[in-house]
Every structure is written in structure tokens, then in C-alpha cells.
């Protein structure tokens, strides 16, 4: 005897509760955890259905084999029993086929509702200023990479592009510090605006543009390739997170308050001169949680 919670010849008689409507599902009455539990339950039921079908098929084959082996007077009785068993199995398989179709329909409905719930949850999070913590964590990690790229990798690259013995940079306002910050600003613009438009930057293209603008590009290839790869990876991962984020290039630095930027030249005095790298802003997130813009402060002026 097989133990599947029902007789061998009949399908399980379980209730068929209807899936809640979209309005009920998104009203909060049914949580995503509840729906995940329902999906797990349906999948378990489908596994049980398949096991039951295999069991009855195996039993029918055993009965047929037994009948074929019989050569005495009991063979007719066995054949009669076999026909009865096959009839019951056929009825059970038909009923089970309907049950499987019903379960698969419910499973598809649940998956559709879960997708809609996730999308609705993201929209609600954006509208209310809150968002799922896992999306925030992913953006937080990308912000750290962006900060490191601008504040370390590109700062080091700018020292090679504007070496101390290249005296032409001394003639510009702000001298060498401003020249190196300008180099970082131009690289950031080349790296991220192209990638955000669907055309990732290349090391060769950036290097050629920098050389054309008078920067010393000889020997910068390793650092430049690392920077290009890092920027393209940041843009790719930003777009992979369902909660949107952007780099705020279109900003007037003269309108920024002290709590809206970080000084790229690491000094406490001065006023915003130009944007070195834009802020990293996550939609629906409070402004104080954005990664602040990198701004070059014009030295020698009071804030």
C-alpha cells in the first residue's frame, strides 16, 4: 500500500481556494511572505502529484507483469483484477490531470501577483521616501565604489596627467590643485555621461581626448584602464538595481549650501568654484543620505 494521503484510485480531495484579487493582494491583507508560502505549498503539492502518478504507473506495470507470468487457472482472475485496477487508475489519472492543471494555474497567478506586488512596493517606497533595505544596501555599496574612484583612483591619475614640472598649469586660477581637479572633472564627465547614454567609455577614447586637451598621458595607461573599467561597472550596477539612482551633473554649484557638497581640494575655506564629480542620488531617498557632490573650492575667498 502506498501512503500518499489518499486512496490509490482517487485524486486528493482538497479545497481550491481562489487567489485573491490584485486589489486585495496589494491592500496589505496578503503580504509577500504569505504569497511566498503559498508558492512553496503549491510546489510541494505538484511534487506529491508527480509521485502519486509514478506510483500508480508502477503498480499497474507490476500487475501486468504478474498476469503475464501466470500460467495456472488464476490468470483469468488476475486479468480481471488488472482490468479493474487499470480502470481505477485511468479515472484517477484523469482526475489528477485536472488537479495538476488547476495547481499550475494557481501557481502562475501567484507568480504574476508577486511580480505586481514587488513593483507596487517599489513605487510606494519611492512615493513615501522609503525603499526596501536590500536595494539601499546595494546602492550604498555602489556609492562607496564611486567615492573611491573619484577620491582615490582619479586623484592619483590626475597627478600623472598634471605632473609637477608641467608649468603651464601654474598660470590658471587656482594653480596646480585646480588643474588636477579640472582633469578629474573632465574624466568623470567622459566616463559617466557616455556610459549612461548606453555607450560605455573606452580607455583609448578617453586617453586620446585627454592628450588632445594638453594633458600628459604617457605612462597613464594602467591607471586609466582601471578607472574606465570601474566607471563602466558602476553604471552597469546602478541600472541593475530596481530602485532608480542617478548622478546629478546638471547642478549650479554656486547655489549649493555647505551641507550639500564635499570639498575636493580638502580645505575649509572658499566658495564652490566648479563641480568635480556629481552627487549620487537614489530616487525616494532623503537628500542627506545621498553621496554629496565633489566641489572644488575657490581658495582665498570667505564662504
Amino acid at each position: 500500500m502506498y501512503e500518499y494521503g489518499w486512496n490509490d484510485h482517487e485524486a486528493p480531495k482538497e479545497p481550491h481556494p481562489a487567489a485573491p484579487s490584485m486589489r486585495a493582494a496589494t491592500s496589505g491583507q496578503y503580504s509577500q511572505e504569505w504569497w511566498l508560502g503559498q508558492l512553496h505549498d503549491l510546489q510541494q503539492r505538484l511534487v506529491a502529484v508527480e509521485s502519486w502518478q509514478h506510483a500508480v504507473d508502477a503498480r499497474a506495470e507490476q500487475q501486468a507483469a504478474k498476469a503475464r507470468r501466470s500460467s495456472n487457472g488464476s490468470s483469468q482472475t488476475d486479468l480481471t483484477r488488472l482490468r479493474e485496477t487499470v480502470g481505477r487508475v485511468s479515472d484517477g489519472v484523469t482526475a489528477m490531470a485536472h488537479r495538476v492543471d488547476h495547481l499550475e494555474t494557481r501557481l502562475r497567478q501567484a507568480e504574476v501577483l508577486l511580480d505586481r506586488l514587488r513593483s507596487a512596493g517599489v513605487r510606494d517606497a519611492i512615493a513615501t521616501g522609503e525603499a526596501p533595505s536590500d536595494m539601499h544596501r546595494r546602492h550604498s555599496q555602489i556609492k562607496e565604489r564611486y567615492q573611491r574612484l573619484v577620491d582615490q583612483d582619479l586623484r592619483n591619475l590626475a597627478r600623472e596627467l598634471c605632473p609637477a614640472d608641467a608649468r603651464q598649469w601654474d598660470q590658471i586660477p587656482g594653480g596646480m590643485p585646480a588643474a588636477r581637479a579640472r582633469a578629474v572633472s573632465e574624466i568623470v564627465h567622459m566616463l559617466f555621461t557616455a556610459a549612461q547614454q548606453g555607450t560605455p567609455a573606452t580607455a583609448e577614447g578617453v586617453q586620446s581626448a585627454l592628450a588632445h586637451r594638453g594633458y600628459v598621458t604617457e605612462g597613464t595607461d594602467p591607471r586609466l584602464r582601471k578607472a574606465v573599467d570601474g566607471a563602466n561597472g558602476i553604471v552597469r550596477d546602478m541600472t541593475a538595481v530596481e530602485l532608480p539612482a542617478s548622478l546629478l551633473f546638471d547642478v549650479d554649484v554656486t547655489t549649493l549650501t555647505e551641507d550639500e557638497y564635499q570639498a575636493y581640494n580638502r580645505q575649509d575655506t572658499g566658495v564652490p568654484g566648479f563641480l568635480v564629480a556629481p552627487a549620487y542620488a537614489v530616487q525616494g531617498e532623503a537628500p542627506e543620505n545621498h553621496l554629496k557632490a565633489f566641489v572644488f573650492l575657490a581658495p582665498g575667498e570667505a564662504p
Side-chain angles (χ1 to χ4, degrees), residues 1-2 8 54-64 85 88:
M1 176 64 68
Y2 300 98
D8 293 332
H54 288 314
V56 295
D57 289 343
R59 182 172 180 182
E61 179 60 31
Q62 290 173 356
Q63 292 281 2
T85 300
R88 291 195 299 270

Side-chain angles (χ1 to χ4, degrees), residues 245-262:
S246 58
L247 300 176
L248 305 181
F249 278 98
D250 189 15
V251 62
D252 181 358
V253 296
T254 63
T255 66
L256 296 178
T257 60
E258 290 186 17
D259 61 349
E260 293 177 323
Y261 66 81
Q262 49 188 315

Side-chain angles (χ1 to χ4, degrees), residues 37-87:
Q38 292 295 300
L39 280 175
H40 179 73
D41 177 65
L42 290 174
Q43 289 166 345
Q44 292 295 104
R45 292 172 186 270
L46 287 174
V47 170
V49 165
E50 293 173 353
S51 298
W52 183 86
Q53 287 180 309
H54 288 314
V56 295
D57 289 343
R59 182 172 180 182
E61 179 60 31
Q62 290 173 356
Q63 292 281 2
K66 181 179 178 181
R68 287 193 297 269
R69 291 194 302 268
S70 298
S71 58
N72 52 29
S74 64
S75 59
Q76 185 62 41
T77 301
D78 290 339
L79 285 173
T80 301
R81 291 176 179 174
L82 177 59
R83 291 191 186 97
E84 293 173 354
T85 300
V86 169

